[in-house]
């Protein structure tokens, strides 16, 4: 009786665990709600295996309970019951049935394993996107369109996207659960992966391979839009941003060229070209992005400036361990390099970056 009581005491613990673990489904990171053909096929294999497993479990459990009850010790019974050993018929049955069940699971699994590993890098109809995992952000380069962005991956619906997965540092893993399974980005090699979105929508992505302090904050968004809207977006990424008009934004532009351009590419309104380094995210049309640093959401107007200020005030407070130098001096910060900017300069940079969009 005692033992039972202590087992019951664990129930609240399991109940709490259930709630905590289901919290992992934050922002629709689920493979159970597929939004594209790859995820649908994968889910169908999950369901098939699940049905077979539940079936086997049910049959075994029923036989087990039946045997327990049917052959239990009756009152007055003495001695051990008749011992049975070896039964050809039974042995064949319990070997052949699991064998057949495994074949049933193997057929779609093997078929999809090859089908979903198809290389679309030479397919003229597929959109070629190079994905580079960085500690702790994602870079997306549209190889034929010559457009680069970060954190927000814009894709057209109904078209196969051929991903060329690479890493700038350690191993990361590219994962958009509602569109399909994950695949690693490995330093020094390119892994091919493909996905497709059926419907317009925003699908959440995450790095799925422990890659450092802010691994859990290495998020990105896939925004599936209509093919027409996608073409418009590509055009907008190639159209020079309007020159800064306010004095504050112009000051920000100067500071940016001086302090930030070595790492971040952006439109140069004079030369009408994208210029700058590739160490940090490309900031062309930055004000159109859905987040700052992939994690601070720009949901309402005004959020962008607040988020930018938060980021530039202390990037380590937002994403611990990230590799951007501190724009301001932050006493006791893990990041030792500082660009020595003051609040007024930060505000000018915020004003400048918040104006990086098509007017
Ligand atoms: C030494 C290179 C370097 C310099 C210099 C630098 N940054 Fe960065 N920056 C980075 C890196 C790396 C990241 C990505 C951090 C992350 O998300 O892990 C980043 C991220 C950002 C982001 C967020 C980008 C996004 O995708 O949302 C902004 C905005 C930004 N930097 C602005 C600036 C500004 C403004 C300056 C100049 C004051 C500057 N950076 C100077 C390397 C740099
Ligand atoms: Cu990562």
């Amino acid at each position: 009786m005692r033992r039972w009581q202590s087992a019951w005491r664990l129930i609240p613990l399991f109940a709490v665990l259930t709630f905590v673990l289901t919290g992992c489904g934050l922002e629709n990171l689920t493979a159970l709600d597929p939004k594209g053909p790859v995820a649908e096929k994968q889910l169908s294999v999950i369901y098939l295996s699940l049905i077979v497993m539940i079936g086997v479990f049910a049959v075994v459990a029923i036989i087990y309970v039946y045997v327990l009850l049917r052959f239990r010790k009756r009152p007055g019974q003495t001695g051990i019951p008749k011992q049975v050993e070896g039964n050809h018929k039974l042995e064949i049955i319990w070997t052949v049935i699991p064998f057949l069940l495994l074949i049933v699971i193997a057929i779609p699994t093997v078929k999809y394993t090859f089908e979903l590993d198809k290389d679309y890098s030479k397919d003229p109809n597929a959109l070629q996107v190079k994905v580079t995992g960085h500690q702790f952000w994602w870079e997306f380069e549209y190889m034929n369109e010559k457009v680069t962005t970060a954190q927000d991956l814009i894709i057209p619906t109904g078209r196969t996207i051929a991903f060329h997965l690479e890493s700038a540092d350690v191993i990361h893993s590219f994962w958009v659960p509602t569109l399909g399974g994950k695949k690693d980005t490995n330093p020094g090699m390119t892994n091919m992966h493909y996905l497709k979105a059926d419907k317009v929508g925003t699908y959440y992505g995450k790095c799925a391979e422990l890659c450092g302090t802010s691994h859990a904050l290495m998020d990105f968004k896939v925004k599936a839009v209509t093919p027409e809207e996608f073409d418009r977006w590509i055009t907008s990424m190639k159209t020079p941003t309007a020159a800064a008009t306010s004095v504050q934004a112009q000051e920000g532009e100067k500071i940016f060229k001086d302090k930030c351009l070595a790492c971040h590419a952006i439109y140069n309104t004079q030369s009408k070209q994208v210029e700058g380094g590739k160490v940090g995210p490309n900031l062309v049309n930055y004000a159109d992005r859905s987040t700052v640093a992939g994690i601070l959401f720009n949901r309402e107007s005004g959020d962008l400036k607040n988020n930018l200020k938060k980021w530039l005030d202390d990037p380590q407070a937002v994403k611990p361990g990230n590799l951007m130098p501190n724009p301001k001096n932050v006493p006791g910060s893990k990041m030792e390099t500082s660009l020595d900017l003051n609040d007024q300069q930060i505000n000018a940079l915020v004003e400048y970056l918040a104006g990086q969009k098509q007017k």
Side-chain angles (χ1 to χ4, degrees), residues 83-113:
Q83 299 298 296
V84 186
E85 224 174 274
N87 182 320
H88 274 294
K89 212 193 268 169
L90 274 179
E91 280 162 11
I92 289 171
I93 290 175
W94 72 51
T95 308
V96 169
I97 292 181
F99 182 74
L100 292 178
L101 289 176
L102 282 180
I103 289 183
V104 167
I105 297 177
I107 291 171
T109 307
V110 173
K111 181 171 165 257
Y112 290 152
T113 301

Short mmCIF file of all heavy atoms in Angstrom, two decimals, residues 83-113:
data_model
loop_
_atom_site.label_atom_id
_atom_site.label_comp_id
_atom_site.label_asym_id
_atom_site.label_seq_id
_atom_site.Cartn_x
_atom_site.Cartn_y
_atom_site.Cartn_z
N GLN A 83 3.50 -27.30 -17.67
CA GLN A 83 4.48 -26.44 -18.34
C GLN A 83 4.47 -26.70 -19.85
O GLN A 83 4.57 -27.83 -20.29
CB GLN A 83 5.88 -26.71 -17.77
CG GLN A 83 6.01 -26.41 -16.29
CD GLN A 83 5.75 -24.97 -15.94
OE1 GLN A 83 6.50 -24.10 -16.37
NE2 GLN A 83 4.68 -24.69 -15.20
N VAL A 84 4.33 -25.58 -20.60
CA VAL A 84 4.28 -25.72 -22.06
C VAL A 84 5.57 -25.15 -22.64
O VAL A 84 6.02 -24.09 -22.23
CB VAL A 84 3.07 -24.95 -22.64
CG1 VAL A 84 2.93 -25.22 -24.13
CG2 VAL A 84 1.81 -25.32 -21.90
N GLU A 85 6.14 -25.81 -23.59
CA GLU A 85 7.40 -25.31 -24.16
C GLU A 85 7.37 -25.48 -25.67
O GLU A 85 7.06 -26.56 -26.16
CB GLU A 85 8.56 -26.11 -23.60
CG GLU A 85 9.73 -25.23 -23.19
CD GLU A 85 10.79 -26.07 -22.51
OE1 GLU A 85 10.69 -26.27 -21.28
OE2 GLU A 85 11.69 -26.54 -23.22
N GLY A 86 7.68 -24.38 -26.40
CA GLY A 86 7.76 -24.47 -27.86
C GLY A 86 6.40 -24.71 -28.50
O GLY A 86 5.64 -25.57 -28.09
N ASN A 87 6.09 -23.83 -29.46
CA ASN A 87 4.85 -24.01 -30.22
C ASN A 87 5.09 -23.42 -31.58
O ASN A 87 5.17 -22.20 -31.75
CB ASN A 87 3.69 -23.28 -29.50
CG ASN A 87 2.37 -23.49 -30.23
OD1 ASN A 87 2.32 -23.46 -31.45
ND2 ASN A 87 1.32 -23.69 -29.47
N HIS A 88 5.29 -24.28 -32.56
CA HIS A 88 5.67 -23.81 -33.89
C HIS A 88 4.71 -22.80 -34.46
O HIS A 88 5.10 -21.76 -34.98
CB HIS A 88 5.78 -25.00 -34.85
CG HIS A 88 7.13 -25.63 -34.79
ND1 HIS A 88 8.27 -24.98 -35.21
CD2 HIS A 88 7.54 -26.82 -34.32
CE1 HIS A 88 9.31 -25.74 -35.00
NE2 HIS A 88 8.91 -26.88 -34.45
N LYS A 89 3.42 -23.10 -34.32
CA LYS A 89 2.41 -22.23 -34.91
C LYS A 89 2.53 -20.82 -34.33
O LYS A 89 2.64 -19.83 -35.04
CB LYS A 89 1.02 -22.81 -34.64
CG LYS A 89 0.04 -22.48 -35.78
CD LYS A 89 -1.37 -22.77 -35.39
CE LYS A 89 -1.81 -24.17 -35.77
NZ LYS A 89 -3.10 -24.54 -35.15
N LEU A 90 2.58 -20.74 -32.98
CA LEU A 90 2.68 -19.43 -32.32
C LEU A 90 3.97 -18.71 -32.72
O LEU A 90 3.97 -17.51 -33.01
CB LEU A 90 2.66 -19.61 -30.81
CG LEU A 90 1.27 -19.66 -30.17
CD1 LEU A 90 1.38 -19.87 -28.68
CD2 LEU A 90 0.51 -18.36 -30.45
N GLU A 91 5.07 -19.45 -32.73
CA GLU A 91 6.36 -18.81 -33.04
C GLU A 91 6.37 -18.22 -34.45
O GLU A 91 6.88 -17.13 -34.68
CB GLU A 91 7.50 -19.82 -32.87
CG GLU A 91 7.87 -19.97 -31.40
CD GLU A 91 8.65 -21.24 -31.10
OE1 GLU A 91 9.10 -21.89 -32.06
OE2 GLU A 91 8.78 -21.57 -29.91
N ILE A 92 5.76 -18.95 -35.38
CA ILE A 92 5.71 -18.42 -36.75
C ILE A 92 4.83 -17.17 -36.78
O ILE A 92 5.21 -16.15 -37.34
CB ILE A 92 5.20 -19.50 -37.74
CG1 ILE A 92 6.30 -20.57 -37.89
CG2 ILE A 92 4.86 -18.90 -39.10
CD1 ILE A 92 5.88 -21.80 -38.64
N ILE A 93 3.70 -17.25 -36.08
CA ILE A 93 2.79 -16.09 -36.08
C ILE A 93 3.49 -14.85 -35.52
O ILE A 93 3.48 -13.79 -36.12
CB ILE A 93 1.51 -16.39 -35.27
CG1 ILE A 93 0.66 -17.41 -36.04
CG2 ILE A 93 0.71 -15.13 -35.01
CD1 ILE A 93 -0.57 -17.89 -35.27
N TRP A 94 4.16 -15.00 -34.36
CA TRP A 94 4.74 -13.78 -33.78
C TRP A 94 6.07 -13.38 -34.40
O TRP A 94 6.72 -12.43 -33.99
CB TRP A 94 4.76 -13.80 -32.25
CG TRP A 94 5.72 -14.71 -31.55
CD1 TRP A 94 7.05 -14.84 -31.74
CD2 TRP A 94 5.38 -15.58 -30.47
NE1 TRP A 94 7.57 -15.74 -30.89
CE2 TRP A 94 6.58 -16.22 -30.08
CE3 TRP A 94 4.20 -15.89 -29.78
CZ2 TRP A 94 6.62 -17.14 -29.04
CZ3 TRP A 94 4.26 -16.80 -28.76
CH2 TRP A 94 5.45 -17.44 -28.40
N THR A 95 6.52 -14.12 -35.39
CA THR A 95 7.68 -13.65 -36.16
C THR A 95 7.18 -12.99 -37.44
O THR A 95 7.65 -11.92 -37.82
CB THR A 95 8.60 -14.84 -36.53
OG1 THR A 95 8.89 -15.55 -35.34
CG2 THR A 95 9.88 -14.35 -37.17
N VAL A 96 6.19 -13.63 -38.07
CA VAL A 96 5.73 -13.12 -39.37
C VAL A 96 4.97 -11.80 -39.22
O VAL A 96 5.20 -10.86 -39.99
CB VAL A 96 4.86 -14.19 -40.07
CG1 VAL A 96 4.17 -13.60 -41.29
CG2 VAL A 96 5.73 -15.36 -40.49
N ILE A 97 4.12 -11.70 -38.20
CA ILE A 97 3.32 -10.45 -38.07
C ILE A 97 4.21 -9.22 -37.88
O ILE A 97 4.09 -8.25 -38.63
CB ILE A 97 2.25 -10.59 -36.97
CG1 ILE A 97 1.21 -11.61 -37.44
CG2 ILE A 97 1.58 -9.24 -36.69
CD1 ILE A 97 0.08 -11.84 -36.47
N PRO A 98 5.17 -9.23 -36.93
CA PRO A 98 6.03 -8.04 -36.81
C PRO A 98 6.83 -7.78 -38.08
O PRO A 98 7.05 -6.63 -38.47
CB PRO A 98 6.98 -8.40 -35.66
CG PRO A 98 6.28 -9.45 -34.89
CD PRO A 98 5.45 -10.22 -35.87
N PHE A 99 7.24 -8.86 -38.75
CA PHE A 99 7.99 -8.71 -39.99
C PHE A 99 7.14 -7.95 -41.03
O PHE A 99 7.60 -6.99 -41.65
CB PHE A 99 8.38 -10.11 -40.50
CG PHE A 99 9.20 -10.07 -41.76
CD1 PHE A 99 10.53 -9.67 -41.72
CD2 PHE A 99 8.64 -10.43 -42.98
CE1 PHE A 99 11.28 -9.63 -42.88
CE2 PHE A 99 9.40 -10.39 -44.14
CZ PHE A 99 10.72 -9.99 -44.09
N LEU A 100 5.89 -8.36 -41.15
CA LEU A 100 5.01 -7.69 -42.11
C LEU A 100 4.77 -6.24 -41.69
O LEU A 100 4.78 -5.33 -42.52
CB LEU A 100 3.67 -8.44 -42.20
CG LEU A 100 3.74 -9.82 -42.85
CD1 LEU A 100 2.38 -10.50 -42.84
CD2 LEU A 100 4.29 -9.72 -44.28
N LEU A 101 4.60 -6.02 -40.38
CA LEU A 101 4.36 -4.65 -39.91
C LEU A 101 5.56 -3.76 -40.22
O LEU A 101 5.41 -2.61 -40.63
CB LEU A 101 4.08 -4.65 -38.41
CG LEU A 101 2.72 -5.24 -38.00
CD1 LEU A 101 2.59 -5.27 -36.49
CD2 LEU A 101 1.59 -4.43 -38.61
N LEU A 102 6.77 -4.32 -40.04
CA LEU A 102 7.97 -3.52 -40.34
C LEU A 102 8.04 -3.20 -41.83
O LEU A 102 8.45 -2.11 -42.21
CB LEU A 102 9.23 -4.27 -39.90
CG LEU A 102 9.51 -4.21 -38.40
CD1 LEU A 102 10.78 -4.97 -38.06
CD2 LEU A 102 9.63 -2.76 -37.92
N ILE A 103 7.60 -4.14 -42.65
CA ILE A 103 7.60 -3.86 -44.10
C ILE A 103 6.62 -2.74 -44.40
O ILE A 103 6.92 -1.81 -45.16
CB ILE A 103 7.28 -5.13 -44.91
CG1 ILE A 103 8.49 -6.07 -44.80
CG2 ILE A 103 6.98 -4.81 -46.37
CD1 ILE A 103 8.35 -7.34 -45.59
N VAL A 104 5.46 -2.79 -43.75
CA VAL A 104 4.46 -1.74 -43.96
C VAL A 104 5.05 -0.37 -43.60
O VAL A 104 4.87 0.62 -44.31
CB VAL A 104 3.19 -2.03 -43.11
CG1 VAL A 104 2.28 -0.81 -43.06
CG2 VAL A 104 2.45 -3.23 -43.69
N ILE A 105 5.81 -0.32 -42.50
CA ILE A 105 6.43 0.97 -42.11
C ILE A 105 7.58 1.32 -43.05
O ILE A 105 7.78 2.47 -43.41
CB ILE A 105 6.94 0.91 -40.65
CG1 ILE A 105 5.77 0.69 -39.69
CG2 ILE A 105 7.68 2.20 -40.28
CD1 ILE A 105 6.19 0.56 -38.24
N ALA A 106 8.32 0.30 -43.47
CA ALA A 106 9.52 0.56 -44.27
C ALA A 106 9.20 1.13 -45.66
O ALA A 106 9.92 1.99 -46.15
CB ALA A 106 10.34 -0.71 -44.42
N ILE A 107 8.09 0.68 -46.26
CA ILE A 107 7.82 1.12 -47.63
C ILE A 107 7.76 2.65 -47.75
O ILE A 107 8.57 3.23 -48.46
CB ILE A 107 6.57 0.43 -48.21
CG1 ILE A 107 6.88 -1.07 -48.41
CG2 ILE A 107 6.14 1.05 -49.54
CD1 ILE A 107 5.68 -1.92 -48.76
N PRO A 108 6.85 3.33 -47.02
CA PRO A 108 6.86 4.80 -47.17
C PRO A 108 8.12 5.43 -46.60
O PRO A 108 8.59 6.45 -47.13
CB PRO A 108 5.62 5.25 -46.39
CG PRO A 108 5.30 4.14 -45.47
CD PRO A 108 5.78 2.87 -46.12
N THR A 109 8.70 4.85 -45.52
CA THR A 109 9.88 5.48 -44.91
C THR A 109 11.04 5.52 -45.90
O THR A 109 11.66 6.57 -46.11
CB THR A 109 10.30 4.71 -43.64
OG1 THR A 109 9.18 4.60 -42.77
CG2 THR A 109 11.43 5.42 -42.91
N VAL A 110 11.30 4.37 -46.55
CA VAL A 110 12.41 4.33 -47.51
C VAL A 110 12.10 5.22 -48.71
O VAL A 110 12.93 6.01 -49.17
CB VAL A 110 12.69 2.88 -47.95
CG1 VAL A 110 13.71 2.83 -49.06
CG2 VAL A 110 13.16 2.06 -46.75
N LYS A 111 10.85 5.15 -49.17
CA LYS A 111 10.45 5.94 -50.34
C LYS A 111 10.67 7.44 -50.06
O LYS A 111 11.31 8.14 -50.83
CB LYS A 111 8.96 5.66 -50.62
CG LYS A 111 8.41 6.40 -51.80
CD LYS A 111 7.00 5.89 -52.13
CE LYS A 111 6.28 6.83 -53.05
NZ LYS A 111 5.28 7.65 -52.40
N TYR A 112 10.16 7.92 -48.89
CA TYR A 112 10.29 9.35 -48.58
C TYR A 112 11.73 9.73 -48.24
O TYR A 112 12.14 10.87 -48.46
CB TYR A 112 9.36 9.72 -47.43
CG TYR A 112 7.89 9.71 -47.82
CD1 TYR A 112 6.91 9.44 -46.88
CD2 TYR A 112 7.50 9.98 -49.12
CE1 TYR A 112 5.56 9.44 -47.22
CE2 TYR A 112 6.16 9.97 -49.48
CZ TYR A 112 5.20 9.69 -48.53
OH TYR A 112 3.88 9.69 -48.87
N THR A 113 12.49 8.79 -47.68
CA THR A 113 13.88 9.11 -47.34
C THR A 113 14.61 9.55 -48.61
O THR A 113 15.35 10.53 -48.61
CB THR A 113 14.58 7.90 -46.70
OG1 THR A 113 13.86 7.55 -45.52
CG2 THR A 113 16.02 8.21 -46.34
#
